[in-house]
Amino acid sequence: MTQMVERGTLRDQLVAWRRHLHMNPEVGFEEHETAAYIEGELRKMPGLTVTRPTATSVLAVLKGGKPGRTVLLRADIDALPIEEENTFEFRSRKPGVMHACGHDGHTAILLGVASLLAESAQEVPGEIRMIFQHAEEIGPGGAEELVMETNLMDGVDVVTGLHLNSQLPVGVVAVKPGAFMAAPDSLHLTIRGRGGHGAHPEQTVDPIAVGAQVVTNLQHVVSRNVAALDALVVSITSFHAGTTHNVIPDTAVLQGTVRSFDPELRQRAPRLIERVIRGVCEAHGATYELKYEFGYRPVINTDWVAAQLKEIALATVGSEHYQDAQPTMGGEDFSAYLQKAPGAYFNVGAGSDAADSRWPHHHPRFTIDEDSLVTGVQMLQAAALRLAQPE
Ligand code: NI
């Protein structure tokens, strides 16, 4: 009798792992209890070599009994600084911290895959590396650290991983070749005017009025400077200035996000944006400081890997549950692994009315339909076995 059967059904075990993680969330670079828990669970599975590449990440390596390639499977393990509003009994026990993106589910899925592969190691081709990655939600990101500062990627032939998606029905698998997720870059802008009495704006340079013009004019970068079919998003998401009703302040501080897929457009965007800021500020006698930060690279799936994942999905969930994925302007540090090896990232649906799990990601009521955990394990296990087949 296998260990998995002794511990109950696969689904029961996945749910237990996910709920433990959900109750005990930790934000990026602080996942000490999470990593210890994952390591403890992996050490119960015979045949895995378990190490800690960084302080809060965990790596399990399975050497298969048959020749084959080296496949990296990735799950992210970190939570978000959000106060959970769900009321179920396994809600977060930590004030202000919540698994609001499904990474608790990703971790449970990869534990499930590790467990199943370990039980059938003699039948597994090649080498399967399973990385439980820290700090996906916080730049510069855990993936970059693992790729640049450890030997995780040495000898990896192909990489894959999944994200649960509450906006897709539970049971659905969605795959896309090519551009899948955007580069999430950011801007931090300080506009310096000259403050004064709210009754005498003529004696001031009003940074609020200038900032408002900057916000509206930046929309022209997208609508008038970039071809309609080249995806670019510029959103000003924060605008802080002033303290009271009758004082014009000296400064206004704005922040925003800039999302793109195309590398050339990504490099061009900061120049287009600064040209607008400079022009508006000069026109009104204000000065500015612009800090522009490049975030994660875009996730560009390798075509042949995405094609194999699609075949696996059709065989695993059937054509009625398969969708071609839509590209999203969201960002993901899975892209760091793609610098070193071909690979593809895909989505598994986790939304249902039954589980009240259609809330958007990063919402205080986000949750998943736990049936998605089983689909995730089936897909990722099948992907590992297929991708590890010798060429
Ligand atoms: Ni996420």
Side-chain angles (χ1 to χ4, degrees):
M1 193 194 291
T2 66
Q3 233 192 345
M4 185 59 82
V5 174
E6 285 166 20
R7 280 191 261 124
T9 67
L10 171 65
R11 190 184 187 286
D12 290 344
Q13 178 62 73
L14 293 169
V15 167
W17 280 323
R18 183 258 167 166
R19 292 187 180 187
H20 174 90
L21 293 160
H22 195 85
M23 281 191 285
N24 298 282
E26 293 172 299
V27 297
F29 298 108
E30 296 177 16
E31 309 97 326
H32 296 282
E33 289 170 22
T34 304
Y37 177 74
I38 293 166
E39 182 178 354
E41 293 304 297
L42 290 168
R43 288 196 185 282
K44 295 177 190 168
M45 303 171 193
L48 298 177
T49 304
V50 183
T51 55
R52 296 282 284 269
T54 70
T56 57
S57 61
V58 187
L59 173 65
V61 177
L62 180 84
K63 299 238 193 256
K66 294 180 172 176
R69 302 195 295 175
T70 298
V71 177
L72 179 69
L73 307 178
R74 177 272 208 166
D76 42 9
I77 68 171
D78 57 324
L80 285 154
I82 292 175
E83 178 76 24
E84 180 156 11
E85 290 177 8
N86 287 313
T87 54
F88 41 63
E89 36 78 39
F90 59 92
R91 67 184 173 275
S92 171
R93 291 175 175 175
K94 293 195 180 153
V97 188
M98 176 190 176
H99 271 293
C101 197
H103 300 187
D104 49 344
H106 304 167
T107 304
I109 288 167
L110 193 53
L111 284 170
V113 172
S115 168
L116 293 175
L117 291 178
E119 285 172 7
S120 57
Q122 287 316 307
E123 304 305 312
V124 173
E127 176 179 324
I128 313 296
R129 293 184 198 169
M130 290 159 277
I131 183 68
F132 297 81
Q133 179 213 308
H134 58 306
E136 189 278 326
E137 302 281 7
I138 296 184
E144 188 76 11
E145 185 180 6
L146 287 165
V147 168
M148 300 307 292
E149 291 172 30
T150 78
N151 56 8
L152 174 67
M153 294 301 290
D154 291 357
V156 170
D157 294 303
V158 57
V159 54
T160 190
L162 65 84
H163 208 300
L164 296 171
N165 187 335
S166 68
Q167 306 307 296
L168 289 175
V170 65
V172 162
V173 174
V175 187
K176 182 188 180 305
F180 182 39
M181 300 183 75
D185 302 329
S186 61
L187 66 88
H188 306 260
L189 173 66
T190 301
I191 296 172
R192 295 192 190 285
R194 192 175 61 248
H197 202 296
H200 294 288
E202 75 281 4
Q203 297 169 3
T204 73
V205 175
D206 182 352
I208 295 177
V210 176
Q213 297 237 355
V214 167
V215 174
T216 51
N217 277 277
L218 279 179
Q219 298 316 308
H220 289 243
V221 171
V222 175
S223 67
R224 300 293 87 167
N225 295 141
V226 174
L229 294 177
D230 285 343
L232 181 72
V233 167
V234 179
S235 293
I236 299 300
T237 53
S238 160
F239 189 139
H240 288 277
T243 53
T244 187
H245 66 95
N246 58 359
V247 177
I248 292 172
D250 282 321
T251 61
V253 178
L254 289 72
Q255 297 185 72
T257 187
V258 183
R259 308 277 171 138
S260 61
F261 294 105
D262 178 67
E264 187 273 330
L265 177 57
R266 188 183 184 203
Q267 295 301 321
R268 194 157 60 96
R271 293 199 300 278
L272 293 170
I273 286 167
E274 182 158 17
R275 192 173 70 187
V276 169
I277 294 169
R278 184 172 58 238
V280 171
C281 285
E282 274 179 15
H284 301 287
T287 60
Y288 70 92
E289 284 157 34
L290 175 63
K291 201 168 97 189
Y292 197 96
E293 287 181 352
F294 288 105
Y296 301 151
R297 298 170 190 85
V299 176
I300 311 291
N301 283 337
T302 309
D303 289 351
W304 70 262
V305 182
Q308 289 208 354
L309 290 174
K310 178 176 177 177
E311 283 178 26
I312 293 161
L314 290 171
T316 304
V317 298
S319 56
E320 68 276 23
H321 290 116
Y322 173 79
Q323 289 182 13
D324 289 332
Q326 297 299 312
T328 155
M329 299 315 284
E332 240 297 340
D333 73 350
F334 184 81
S335 53
Y337 304 105
L338 297 175
Q339 297 299 299
K340 299 285 184 182
Y345 198 56
F346 63 97
N347 278 164
V348 170
S352 76
D353 293 329
D356 191 19
S357 62
R358 294 188 189 276
W359 298 90
H361 291 248
H362 296 203
H363 189 281
R365 293 201 56 193
F366 176 85
T367 190
I368 57 170
D369 185 319
E370 289 169 328
D371 284 346
S372 64
L373 302 175
V374 177
T375 309
V377 168
Q378 290 170 338
M379 263 306 293
L380 210 53
Q381 183 191 19
L385 295 174
R386 169 77 179 271
L387 294 170
Q389 291 292 338
E391 280 165 289

